[in-house]
Amino acid sequence: MTDSTPTSAADREIVSSRVFDAPRERLLKAWRDPTQLAAWWGPKGFTNTFHEFDLRPGGVWRFVMHGPDGVDYPNESVFLEVVEPERIVFQHVSGPRFQMTVTFTEEAGGTRLEWRMLFESAAECDKVRAVCVEANEQNFDRLQAQLAKLAP
């Protein structure tokens, strides 16, 4: 007998959010420009080599994250939705598979950036949750440093 109890989206989702002291346009620029994105994407100590970055629905984002331990992590995503200045949605098609919804919301003189990583199953989400939560915070730290470089 199988358990037919549906899992809620909360069981399959990792949500990370931070308010940045920067206008929404500056955050969008850090996403739109592949040179800037490559400079801050990933946890502390990681670098990136971008092979393709086509920020439009149906566009592909292929890159390799180089870990500080010398391990390479190939990544491929397909953009599903790009609604500037509010949202970018992509499907991470290399493992682990998930859909990422990135929202940019103006808030009290800054911008709230929220990432919603939705996995196909609670089990898949649980496999990476412990690593992803901290890695996303490190990623936000790196973005914060990148935004400081872009400040007027």
Side-chain angles (χ1 to χ4, degrees), residues 8-9 19 21 28 32-33 39 52 56 58 62 70 73 88 91 93 96 102 104 116 121 134 137 145 148:
S8 71
V19 176
D21 184 20
L28 282 165
R32 267 192 239 114
D33 178 350
E52 187 173 356
R56 65 178 175 83
R62 284 188 319 104
Y73 301 89
I88 298 170
Q91 185 72 39
V93 296
V102 180
F104 305 84
R116 291 187 164 273
S121 71
E134 177 59 28
E137 288 301 317

Side-chain angles (χ1 to χ4, degrees), residues 96-108:
R97 295 178 60 90
F98 59 88
Q99 181 172 299
M100 171 84 94
T101 301
V102 180
T103 56
F104 305 84
T105 307
E106 291 177 338
E107 185 174 302

Side-chain angles (χ1 to χ4, degrees), residues 16 40-44 46 65 115 117 128-142:
S16 300
W40 65 265
W41 188 257
K44 182 179 177 182
F46 280 73
M65 290 177 69
W115 292 357
M117 302 169 71
V128 298
R129 185 181 303 276
V131 172
C132 275
V133 171
E134 177 59 28
N136 288 352
E137 288 301 317
Q138 292 175 18
N139 212 329
F140 285 163
D141 292 344
R142 293 182 69 196

Side-chain angles (χ1 to χ4, degrees), residues 41 48 51 60-65 72-77 92-96 98:
W41 188 257
N48 297 289
H51 299 289
V60 174
W61 180 17
R62 284 188 319 104
F63 64 101
V64 176
M65 290 177 69
D72 288 341
Y73 301 89
N75 284 264
E76 184 171 342
S77 295
H92 189 260
V93 296
S94 52
F98 59 88

Side-chain angles (χ1 to χ4, degrees), residues 11-79:
D11 294 337
R12 300 182 297 123
E13 191 171 52
I14 297 170
V15 179
S16 300
S17 179
R18 184 179 292 181
V19 176
F20 291 87
D21 184 20
R24 185 161 59 172
E25 182 56 37
R26 196 176 312 149
L27 263 77
L28 282 165
K29 185 174 183 181
W31 269 90
R32 267 192 239 114
D33 178 350
T35 302
Q36 286 189 46
L37 184 58
W40 65 265
W41 188 257
K44 182 179 177 182
F46 280 73
T47 59
N48 297 289
T49 302
F50 281 22
H51 299 289
E52 187 173 356
F53 182 75
D54 186 4
L55 183 62
R56 65 178 175 83
V60 174
W61 180 17
R62 284 188 319 104
F63 64 101
V64 176
M65 290 177 69
H66 310 286
D69 58 358
V71 176
D72 288 341
Y73 301 89
N75 284 264
E76 184 171 342
S77 295
V78 176
F79 291 102

Side-chain angles (χ1 to χ4, degrees), residues 108-124:
T111 305
R112 177 173 295 281
L113 180 63
E114 182 178 85
W115 292 357
R116 291 187 164 273
M117 302 169 71
L118 182 61
F119 294 81
E120 293 175 357
S121 71
E124 285 298 310

